[in-house]
Amino acid sequence: MRVHKFFVWVLLMLALTKVEALDLKVRLYSDQAIQRFLITPDSAKFRLLALHSDGSVLDTIYDIYPKDPSRTFVISVKGKRLQLKLGDESLGEYEGLYFEGLDSLHQFRITANKRNRSYFGGVRALVRGGQIQIVNIVDLEHYVAGVVESEAGHVPELEFFKAQAVLARTFALRNLGKHEAEGYNLKDDVSSQVYFSKAHYTHRDLILKAVAATRDTILVNKDCSLILSVFHANSGGMTVNSEDVWLKPVPELKSKIDSFSIGVGSYSWEKRINSQRFFSYFARMFGVKNDADLQKALLNFEQKERQKNFSYKGKSLKLTTVRHDFKLRSTYFTIELDGDEVLLKGKGFGHGVGLSQDGAIEMSKRGYSYKSILNHYFFEVELENKDYVLSY
């Protein structure tokens, strides 16, 4: 059996980041400043460890099997240390803490900044820059299920969930070393993948079924490297080349017609903008006068197919810049004058690269398999199972 070079890379990354048995370290509440949080172990058996500031174990604080597992601990910043309380009882101050579940449940409920979440695995807390860095140490497959629910858990479509699970797993393994220097692998926000909890809401059972059915399955390109497994809400009927959004062309991320996204989900949108503000913006960006010629060029701008730029008098402005500056849903739009406003009529939602979630949902509804869905949105890719690498 051949060993793909990406398998060797994955093994190396696992060794470097000290991820045992494919456990991930995912920073929670990563877009917020945390000074205090509450944690309630749902495990019947758990252990609470004191840590050094580098995350290594100092001592065991709790190593008991409480009859009532619903004990809520309060952790807050006190100088460069963490103050630990159980109710009103102080349990000391520490450089770091680790809550480790020891039974099959190993679940924890967390409340920080009035946001309640629930996770499998363990929870590590360290002081970083005067704030608490909360990290979930979690099995890869539990993480994948949480990502699928957080990113796409609103529509009960099994094959769609399978496709999302493969993409989430592929992304995680590709990005194991992304935040290694900071002491974890991934964040829980859009800079990595949204991961707001374990899978436990309405479509939990279907998501878990999808994750189990695709367990260990990842998506690779023709060079046997893990792909950039990106997705967006709706392509508007046509996906985008990676280089039209980012700088580098990626062979598996090419533009293509996507009829499955037309007329479904978040396919269409409109936005009104003051016309003088809109025209003046383009005049400023091009360094020209806000005159009739510029306004005519803008009002005649059409996108029968997705365009990368708006061009005027030999100069070009990336539509991704326009989208960002006016907070538009996509770059796929036309422009009409309506009184003292311009009316933008757009298609799609998101950057448009890779998988369209609305399109994938529609494919699932029509009976397409997750393999067909992935092959529709990504060029020259293969599904691989990473399981056998563990024997090497």
Side-chain angles (χ1 to χ4, degrees):
M1 183 180 292
R2 65 194 178 110
V3 180
H4 295 318
K5 64 181 180 181
F6 89 89
F7 284 155
V8 176
W9 178 86
V10 168
L11 282 177
L12 177 61
M13 290 305 300
L14 289 174
L16 290 175
T17 55
K18 298 181 181 179
V19 178
E20 297 179 1
L22 292 180
D23 277 356
L24 301 179
K25 297 182 179 72
V26 186
R27 183 179 171 186
L28 307 179
Y29 300 91
S30 57
D31 60 345
Q32 301 174 52
I34 305 296
Q35 286 279 321
R36 177 179 181 271
F37 76 98
L38 282 64
I39 180 167
T40 303
D42 287 329
S43 299
K45 302 176 182 179
F46 74 97
R47 179 166 54 193
L48 175 53
L49 304 175
L51 305 178
H52 292 289
S53 60
D54 63 359
S56 60
V57 176
L58 170 64
D59 198 2
T60 300
I61 303 171
Y62 250 75
D63 192 8
I64 62 174
Y65 309 140
K67 294 180 180 179
D68 177 13
S70 297
R71 298 186 174 197
T72 297
F73 296 84
V74 181
I75 297 95
S76 55
V77 175
K78 189 173 182 180
K80 295 183 179 180
R81 299 172 70 84
L82 293 173
Q83 184 179 63
L84 174 67
K85 288 185 176 182
L86 179 57
D88 294 329
E89 178 188 0
S90 176
L91 299 180
E93 296 175 11
Y94 306 92
E95 293 180 337
L97 296 165
Y98 180 50
F99 292 81
E100 180 184 17
L102 301 174
D103 61 2
S104 58
L105 283 174
H106 55 277
Q107 299 175 74
F108 297 87
R109 283 174 283 145
I110 302 174
T111 300
N113 290 352
K114 298 182 180 180
R115 297 189 181 183
N116 302 314
R117 300 181 180 179
S118 183
Y119 294 96
F120 283 114
V123 178
R124 186 188 72 192
L126 296 169
V127 179
R128 293 288 184 264
Q131 307 293 333
I132 306 177
Q133 181 194 89
I134 308 173
V135 173
N136 180 208
I137 290 80
V138 60
D139 173 78
L140 172 63
E141 300 303 317
H142 283 148
Y143 167 76
V144 168
V147 169
V148 172
E149 181 176 88
S150 298
E151 291 275 14
H154 59 291
V155 178
E157 284 295 329
L158 180 61
E159 295 304 308
F160 167 63
F161 285 156
K162 288 180 183 179
Q164 284 281 175
V166 172
L167 295 183
R169 189 179 296 108
T170 301
F171 183 94
L173 291 176
R174 179 186 168 101
N175 290 279
L176 283 177
K178 188 174 183 180
H179 296 283
E180 181 185 357
E182 299 159 272
Y184 51 89
N185 305 115
L186 301 162
K187 293 184 177 182
D188 65 347
D189 62 16
V190 293
S191 67
S192 293
Q193 301 184 106
V194 179
Y195 173 59
F196 287 158
S197 71
K198 65 181 183 182
H200 66 132
Y201 286 112
T202 305
H203 305 309
R204 167 188 175 274
D205 291 344
L206 201 61
I207 290 172
L208 295 179
K209 183 177 180 181
V211 172
T214 62
R215 185 178 181 86
D216 298 324
T217 303
I218 48 182
L219 203 58
V220 301
N221 61 22
K222 61 182 180 180
D223 295 324
C224 297
S225 298
L226 293 153
I227 73 158
L228 182 61
S229 53
V230 292
F231 54 88
H232 56 280
N234 189 297
S235 71
M238 188 174 187
T239 64
V240 180
N241 293 313
S242 60
E243 64 268 28
D244 293 347
V245 176
W246 305 302
L247 296 177
K248 184 179 178 182
V250 179
E252 57 266 24
L253 297 175
K254 297 178 182 177
S255 175
K256 71 171 298 180
I257 299 297
D258 176 28
S259 61
F260 298 104
S261 293
I262 296 175
V264 298
S266 50
Y267 169 69
S268 61
W269 56 270
E270 292 185 355
K271 183 163 186 175
R272 294 180 178 274
I273 303 169
N274 177 271
S275 59
Q276 285 308 305
R277 176 191 170 212
F278 189 74
F279 294 141
S280 296
Y281 166 84
F282 283 89
R284 184 175 68 255
M285 297 299 281
F286 282 103
V288 299
K289 292 182 179 180
N290 178 9
D291 57 17
D293 288 342
L294 174 63
Q295 295 176 19
K296 183 178 179 181
L298 284 164
L299 294 173
N300 287 332
F301 177 64
E302 293 184 354
Q303 296 194 66
K304 293 181 180 179
E305 293 185 350
R306 276 185 178 267
Q307 302 296 314
K308 180 178 180 180
N309 303 308
F310 171 74
S311 298
Y312 182 69
K313 291 188 175 181
K315 297 181 179 179
S316 293
L317 175 63
K318 290 190 70 173
L319 292 176
T320 51
T321 302
V322 178
R323 180 192 172 207
H324 175 269
D325 291 345
F326 285 101
K327 295 180 173 56
L328 307 178
R329 287 193 171 192
S330 73
T331 60
Y332 201 2
F333 59 84
T334 57
I335 308 164
E336 298 178 7
L337 185 62
D338 186 11
D340 61 354
E341 296 178 320
V342 291
L343 174 62
L344 305 188
K345 292 185 176 181
K347 302 174 185 177
F349 195 167
H351 52 64
V353 184
L355 179 138
S356 164
Q357 291 180 309
D358 286 341
I361 290 168
E362 184 63 21
M363 290 184 73
S364 183
K365 288 180 178 179
R366 296 188 191 184
Y368 288 90
S369 71
Y370 78 97
K371 297 178 183 179
S372 296
I373 293 171
L374 294 171
N375 279 300
H376 173 69
Y377 286 106
F378 299 94
F379 288 79
E380 297 184 315
V381 293
E382 295 181 8
L383 291 161
E384 291 278 7
N385 189 293
K386 67 172 181 58
D387 189 51
Y388 68 76
V389 74
L390 298 178
S391 64
Y392 285 89

